[in-house]
């Protein structure tokens, strides 16, 4: 039964009426392999371009149209686009039997005619072709192609003279100019666009938007959004790779400067030029903008876009770039070998850099000992030692003498920054002397040691009441297991005076020679028995004396013990 049916069908095809071929059935059953896309007039048409494939859009003009303009807005990558026209010598039949199943471009291709390419462009900028219309019996073909990657473009058709009004207009000078550059800010200006106008006091639907980034300038707002989308995707990949590196991830996002940072998280991944929320700094109708919160000594790229909020289109000015000024670096003072340096620091919070010194140890071992001592009871100083831009140590120095061992570098940068005391709020604003901190510092090359010298167990001085006489007192203090020189100084206090202690920053060399009583060497390998004594004679009866003991060292500042006040006996 089935075989007889196929046989009848074959005979009907060979012996049918007319020309009697299979072409008689073709017009009624053929469909187009590529669906036709028409480009509508006065409407922004988004087009997706697969990599390496040519997309075609067709349109015809009205009979009365004498001019036409086609605008193509690429996104992230350069594209190739061309405009061609195909003109028929004879008009196609309006009521052909096969035309009901054919698309309009196929009607032109079946007829006689020729195709002429009238415009081509390659690039990533918004470009417009404007020219005269051809004969009414013409079809226009807009070909679009991306050779680098999949991308998105927008196309717009306008018939007749005058501007289309869909895209904002750029001025005759479309460049962004730099008015001023600072350490953390850049001021820009540009020629106003004729599209940004205020009518009847109403807010215009055009505005300027400014984008700043570290990488390069953008030719369109769509390209900027695509760049931001890729940047956020790379940040999320790094977040998944290392969840513990949040600070590093968000630091990379500072390559972009935005007025509305919250908009980044909720941004859609659409790469079309349809305007939803620019995310960047939008200035309304102002053509001057100061970009703040920039980093010093960094190069930034600045782009300005004119955005039409109603039509969802935008055009870009020719961007510019500028490098912010570097921070004012404080002078670096050279610190000589074993030089005692007196430093006065300001406790003002605005003094962020502090004072800087450079020390180069002698000898091939490149070792040194840094000794610091503050001269204010309530002051603290932050000491940061670095070498070749790498921080070696950072610590706070209070009222105790501090020693920092330097090793492993040919040169050291020492930075001192005063830390305001807790009672600084009680200091009157006009009293600047109380906000000054005094610091004594010395750096010495240490050839014979691989560790910092040890301190005595205590810096207290003890006097023995039973050994006190009318003209002598007996003192005792704890030394160290190292052989060192100890010098004793005395000072008589006038009657009625309350000053009974000696400034701990006063060097022994700064005191009068007649105040020095004796100097002696002492060493005890057992720290528990490292106690030495001295009998100070030639004193006056019933007088008050202040005694000071200094541990004299070859390396570093001398260590001063706490002052001891003793009154001699009046009657013996």
């Amino acid at each position: 039964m089935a075989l007889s049916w196929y046989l009848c069908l074959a005979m009907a095809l060979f012996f049918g009426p007319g020309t009697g071929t299979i072409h008689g059935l073709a017009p009624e059953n053929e469909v187009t392999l590529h669906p036709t896309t028409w480009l509508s007039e006065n409407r922004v048409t988004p087009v997706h371009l697969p990599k390496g494939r040519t997309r075609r859009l067709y349109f015809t003009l009205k009979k009365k149209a004498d001019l036409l303009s086609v605008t193509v807005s690429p996104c992230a990558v350069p594209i190739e686009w061309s405009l061609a026209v195909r003109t028929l010598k004879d008009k196609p039949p309006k009521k052909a039997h096969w035309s009901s199943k054919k698309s309009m471009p196929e009607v032109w291709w079946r007829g006689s005619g020729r195709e002429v390419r009238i415009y081509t462009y390659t690039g990533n900028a918004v470009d417009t072709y404007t020219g005269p219309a051809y004969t009414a019996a013409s079809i226009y073909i807009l070909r679009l192609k991306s050779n680098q990657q999949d991308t998105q473009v927008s196309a717009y058709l306008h018939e007749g003279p005058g501007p289309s009004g869909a895209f904002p207009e750029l001025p005759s000078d479309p460049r962004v100019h730099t008015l001023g550059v600072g350490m953390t800010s850049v001021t820009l200006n540009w020629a106003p666009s004729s599209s940004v106008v205020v009518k009847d006091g109403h807010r215009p639907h055009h505005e300027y938007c400014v984008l700043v980034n570290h990488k390069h300038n953008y030719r369109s707002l769509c390209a900027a959004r695509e760049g931001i989308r890729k940047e956020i995707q790379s940040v999320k990949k790094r977040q998944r790779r290392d969840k513990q590196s949040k600070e590093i991830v968000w630091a990379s996002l500072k390559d972009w400067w935005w007025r509305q940072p919250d908009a980044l998280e909720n941004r859609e991944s659409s790469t079309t030029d349809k305007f939803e929320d620019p995310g960047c700094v939008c200035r309304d109708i102002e053509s001057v903008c100061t970009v703040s919160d920039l980093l010093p000594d960094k190069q930034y790229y600045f782009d300005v876009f004119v955005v039409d909020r109603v039509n969802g289109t935008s055009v870009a000015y020719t961007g510019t770039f500028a490098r912010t000024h570097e921070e004012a670096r404080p002078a670096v003072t050279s610190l000589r070998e074993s030089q005692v340096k007196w430093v006065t620091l300001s406790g003002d919070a605005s003094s962020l850099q502090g004072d800087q010194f450079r020390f180069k140890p002698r000898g091939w071992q490149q070792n040194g000992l840094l000794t610091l001592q503050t001269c204010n009871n309530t002051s603290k100083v932050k000491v940061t030692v670095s070498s070749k831009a790498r921080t070696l140590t950072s610590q706070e120095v209070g009222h105790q003498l501090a020693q920092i061992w330097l090793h492993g570098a040919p040169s050291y940068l020492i930075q001192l920054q005063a830390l305001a005391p807790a009672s600084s709020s009680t200091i009157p604003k006009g009293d600047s002397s109380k906000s000054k901190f005094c610091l004594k510092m010395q750096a010495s090359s240490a050839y014979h040691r691989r560790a910092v010298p040890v301190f005595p167990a205590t810096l207290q001085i003890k006097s023995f009441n039973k050994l006190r006489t009318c003209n002598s007192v007996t003192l005792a203090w704890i030394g160290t297991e190292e052989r060192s020189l100890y010098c004793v100084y005395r000072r008589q206090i006038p009657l009625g005076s309350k000053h009974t202690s000696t400034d701990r920053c006063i060097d022994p060399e700064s005191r009068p020679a007649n105040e020095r009583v004796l100097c002696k060497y002492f060493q005890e390998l057992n720290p528990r028995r490292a106690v030495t004594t001295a009998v100070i004679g030639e004193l006056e009866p019933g007088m008050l004396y202040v005694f000071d003991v200094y541990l004299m060292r070859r390396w570093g500042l001398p260590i001063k013990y706490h002052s001891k006040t003793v009154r001699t006996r009046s009657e013996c």
Side-chain angles (χ1 to χ4, degrees):
M1 182 68 182
L3 180 61
S4 61
W5 188 88
Y6 281 114
L7 182 61
C8 294
L9 178 60
M11 293 176 64
L13 291 176
F14 279 101
F15 301 102
T19 56
T21 65
I22 195 169
H23 300 287
L25 295 177
E28 296 294 334
N29 295 278
E30 283 185 1
V31 295
T32 57
L33 295 177
H34 303 284
T36 304
T37 302
W38 287 94
L39 183 62
S40 303
E41 181 190 7
N42 296 332
R43 186 171 68 88
V44 178
T45 303
V47 182
H48 177 72
L49 296 184
K51 178 182 177 181
R53 291 179 55 186
T54 301
R55 290 290 306 272
R56 295 174 176 83
L57 281 77
Y58 303 92
F59 65 90
T60 57
L61 300 180
K62 300 176 183 177
K63 293 182 179 180
K64 297 182 180 180
D66 55 352
L67 287 175
L68 79 150
S69 64
V70 176
T71 302
V72 177
S73 177
C75 189
V77 296
I79 66 168
E80 301 175 1
W81 70 274
S82 63
L83 184 64
V85 61
R86 186 174 178 85
T87 304
L88 283 178
K89 294 182 179 179
D90 301 319
K91 289 185 178 181
K94 293 184 178 180
K95 294 183 179 180
H97 174 70
W98 46 268
S99 62
S100 60
K101 295 296 182 179
K102 298 295 181 182
S103 62
M104 187 62 68
E106 287 180 290
V107 174
W108 257 269
W109 258 258
R110 288 179 179 273
S112 60
R114 62 189 181 91
E115 180 178 324
V116 179
R117 179 169 294 187
I118 58 178
Y119 186 74
T120 58
Y121 174 81
T122 301
N124 59 350
V126 179
D127 188 64
T128 301
Y129 165 77
T130 302
Y134 281 68
T135 60
S138 301
I139 186 170
Y140 294 85
I141 308 103
L142 176 62
R143 292 180 174 89
L144 306 165
K145 185 179 181 181
S146 172
N147 293 321
Q148 294 187 8
Q149 64 184 42
D150 294 358
T151 186
Q152 199 87 3
V153 300
S154 298
Y156 185 84
L157 170 65
H158 174 67
E159 299 180 13
S164 63
F167 286 82
E169 296 183 12
L170 289 176
S172 58
D173 180 14
R175 297 173 298 171
V176 180
H177 302 277
T178 303
L179 288 183
V181 179
M183 191 169 63
T184 59
S185 63
V186 174
T187 301
L188 310 168
N189 80 319
W190 54 90
S193 169
S194 59
S195 302
V196 184
V197 294
V198 180
K199 297 181 179 180
D200 302 329
H202 296 287
R203 182 175 182 270
H205 58 81
H206 290 81
E207 62 182 357
Y208 302 108
C209 293
V210 181
L211 171 67
V212 183
N213 72 95
H214 277 299
K215 296 184 177 180
H216 52 77
N217 290 111
Y218 288 98
R219 303 295 299 271
S220 67
L221 187 59
C222 180
R225 287 181 179 147
E226 183 69 13
I228 297 170
R229 184 182 66 84
K230 292 181 179 179
E231 182 72 15
I232 295 177
Q233 286 180 350
S234 64
V235 168
K236 290 181 178 180
K237 289 181 181 179
R238 289 196 296 268
Q239 282 180 327
R240 289 192 296 265
R241 202 175 302 150
D242 185 6
K243 295 182 180 179
Q244 303 298 327
S245 59
K246 290 185 178 180
E247 294 183 359
I248 300 177
V249 169
W250 287 113
S252 65
L253 275 181
K254 291 184 179 179
D255 287 349
W256 305 88
W257 182 81
W258 302 98
R259 176 67 60 85
Q260 302 169 350
D262 295 338
L264 289 175
E265 300 179 0
N266 300 324
R267 184 171 308 283
E268 296 182 2
S269 60
S270 174
T271 58
T272 66
D273 200 34
K274 181 180 179 181
F275 180 80
E276 294 177 356
D277 184 6
C280 52
V281 184
C282 293
R283 308 291 303 174
D284 290 338
I285 61 174
E286 299 178 10
S287 59
V288 178
C289 175
T290 298
V291 184
S292 305
D293 299 332
L294 303 179
L295 297 177
D297 196 22
K298 295 290 183 181
Q299 182 163 301
Y300 291 89
Y301 295 85
F302 304 90
D303 291 300
V304 176
F305 305 98
V306 189
V307 179
D308 187 342
R309 288 184 172 272
V310 175
N311 295 317
T313 57
S314 64
V315 293
Y317 280 74
T318 302
T320 186
F321 64 91
R323 190 175 191 88
T324 54
H325 295 165
E326 63 180 358
E327 293 182 283
R329 299 179 180 177
V332 179
T333 305
S334 179
L335 196 61
R336 297 193 301 272
E337 172 70 27
S338 300
Q339 174 193 11
V340 178
K341 187 72 175 180
W342 292 78
V343 184
T344 302
L345 301 176
S346 174
D348 189 4
S350 62
S351 180
L352 300 179
Q353 291 288 343
D355 292 357
Q356 294 187 2
F357 303 86
R358 187 172 297 280
F359 175 66
K360 294 183 178 181
R362 296 184 304 188
W364 63 272
Q365 292 182 345
Q366 302 177 347
N367 295 333
L369 178 65
L370 176 65
T371 309
L372 307 103
Q373 186 177 26
T374 60
C375 301
N376 302 74
N377 293 327
T378 59
S379 63
K380 287 187 177 182
V381 175
K382 182 179 180 181
V383 183
T384 303
V385 180
S386 60
S387 177
K388 297 181 180 179
R390 182 172 63 93
T391 300
L392 303 178
T393 181
S394 180
Q395 64 185 65
E396 294 183 6
V397 177
H399 65 281
Q400 297 290 346
L401 186 141
Q403 300 179 119
I404 300 176
W405 179 245
L406 308 176
H407 62 90
S411 176
Y412 300 91
L413 182 64
I414 305 166
Q415 180 175 330
L416 306 177
Q417 179 183 353
L419 302 177
S423 59
S424 60
S425 59
T426 61
I427 299 177
K429 294 183 179 180
D431 192 357
S432 59
S433 61
K434 294 186 179 181
S435 62
K436 301 293 183 180
F437 296 160
C438 182
L439 178 75
K440 187 169 62 173
M441 176 175 58
Q442 184 193 44
S444 301
S445 299
Y447 305 104
H448 66 296
R449 299 189 56 88
R450 293 190 177 275
V452 296
V454 295
F455 283 162
T458 178
L459 296 178
Q460 297 292 337
I461 302 175
K462 182 177 178 58
S463 65
F464 300 94
N465 188 44
K466 293 182 179 181
L467 301 178
R468 181 169 56 96
T469 67
C470 293
N471 55 13
S472 68
V473 296
T474 301
L475 304 177
W477 63 88
I478 296 179
T480 65
E481 61 268 25
E482 299 175 355
R483 179 175 172 80
S484 302
L485 179 66
Y486 297 86
C487 293
V488 181
Y489 288 75
R490 73 176 181 186
R491 179 166 55 92
Q492 184 177 341
I493 302 299
L495 296 176
S497 178
K498 296 182 179 180
H499 299 284
T500 58
S501 62
T502 304
D503 188 353
R504 64 173 178 264
C505 283
I506 295 180
D507 291 328
E509 294 81 5
S510 303
R511 303 187 65 164
N514 58 358
E515 291 187 359
R516 187 171 64 182
V517 178
L518 62 87
C519 290
K520 60 180 295 188
Y521 283 96
F522 175 76
Q523 180 184 20
E524 175 57 55
L525 297 180
N526 187 355
R528 296 184 179 181
R529 298 175 55 186
V531 179
T532 183
T533 61
V535 179
I536 313 300
E538 299 181 1
L539 304 179
E540 297 180 10
M543 297 303 296
L544 191 65
Y545 291 89
V546 176
F547 296 94
D548 295 304
V549 177
Y550 291 91
L551 170 57
M552 312 296 291
R553 303 182 302 163
R554 182 181 179 186
W555 314 108
L557 298 174
I559 298 176
K560 178 185 174 296
Y561 287 72
H562 299 309
S563 300
K564 182 66 176 179
T565 305
V566 182
R567 185 185 296 273
T568 57
R569 293 184 183 274
S570 300
E571 298 179 357
C572 296

